[in-house]
Amino acid sequence: MAEAERIIGTPEVGDDAQPESAGPKRHRRIVALLVVAALAYLLDLGSKMLVVAKLEHQPPIEIIGDLLKFEAVRNAGAAFGIGEAFTIIFTCIAATVIVVIVRLARKLYSLPWAIALGLLLGGALGNLTDRIFRSPGVFRGAVVDFIAPAHFAVFNLADSAIVCGGILIVLLSFKGLDPDGTVHKD
């Protein structure tokens, strides 16, 4: 097998490895994806519950002077509050991202990709939960944002997970690592 096309973790021709080892390897990657997604989702959900209970309708909490504050904000739009009239579209986009990740998981052999997709999945689920269950209503709910750096948009842990997952995907793509574990040099 050519080195550029060799699947990471698969035996070379002539190795004495069992062919059924592919099943557990795939399973481990899906479990990693689900664990990362669950952690990202639960951290986001817990932080938003805490913010709504303790910080909403209160003055901002200064973390690092004026550079970083915790401030409860409801955002019906996307980043920087853009597109507040299109909440239903953002809900559909988040749902689509979740479906695509679930479909990709069937071919997932790469641990770095499992982590990246898990971050995306957890973040998308976190913001989708807000869009579905928060006021003003189903599929029109405003996302709870609370991390407020100076001169930047207010965001939440789901947004952070999505951005970190996206950056990791770009890096993996530049390195030539595909979700199925193949490596290419183009």
Side-chain angles (χ1 to χ4, degrees):
M1 208 179 285
E3 186 174 322
E5 296 179 7
R6 183 172 181 262
I7 296 177
I8 296 172
T10 57
E12 290 285 345
V13 175
D15 284 354
D16 293 320
Q18 302 277 337
E20 60 268 1
S21 65
K25 287 186 183 300
R26 177 179 294 174
H27 179 71
R28 280 190 294 243
R29 301 315 185 242
I30 292 172
V31 168
L33 180 146
L34 294 174
V35 167
V36 170
L39 284 172
Y41 177 72
L42 292 173
L43 286 170
D44 178 64
L45 185 63
S47 66
K48 289 174 180 174
M49 290 171 62
L50 187 64
V51 165
V52 169
K54 301 289 185 187
L55 191 57
E56 202 163 47
H57 309 297
Q58 301 295 323
I61 298 173
E62 291 185 0
I63 304 301
I64 305 174
D66 287 338
L67 293 177
L68 180 64
K69 298 177 184 179
F70 286 165
E71 178 179 8
V73 174
R74 297 289 181 120
N75 181 4
F80 303 98
I82 297 171
E84 290 186 7
F86 300 105
T87 305
I88 189 81
I89 293 172
F90 299 129
T91 303
C92 292
I93 291 170
T96 302
V97 166
I98 292 165
V99 169
V100 168
I101 292 171
V102 169
R103 289 187 58 130
L104 257 174
R106 295 182 300 174
K107 300 176 185 176
L108 190 61
Y109 282 95
S110 166
L111 182 60
W113 271 93
I115 293 168
L117 293 174
L119 288 168
L120 282 177
L121 180 59
L125 284 169
N127 283 339
L128 183 62
T129 299
D130 282 358
R131 300 267 185 223
I132 293 173
F133 296 109
R134 296 209 188 268
S135 64
V138 176
F139 300 117
R140 296 180 296 122
V143 173
V144 175
D145 289 332
F146 62 94
I147 304 169
H151 314 294
F152 195 72
V154 182
F155 58 95
N156 57 45
L157 295 181
D159 299 333
S160 297
I162 291 168
V163 169
C164 290
I167 290 169
L168 186 53
I169 286 171
V170 169
L171 293 174
L172 293 171
S173 297
F174 278 130
K175 289 187 77 168
L177 181 61
D178 291 334
D180 65 359
T182 59
V183 179
H184 54 84
K185 296 183 180 189
D186 50 340

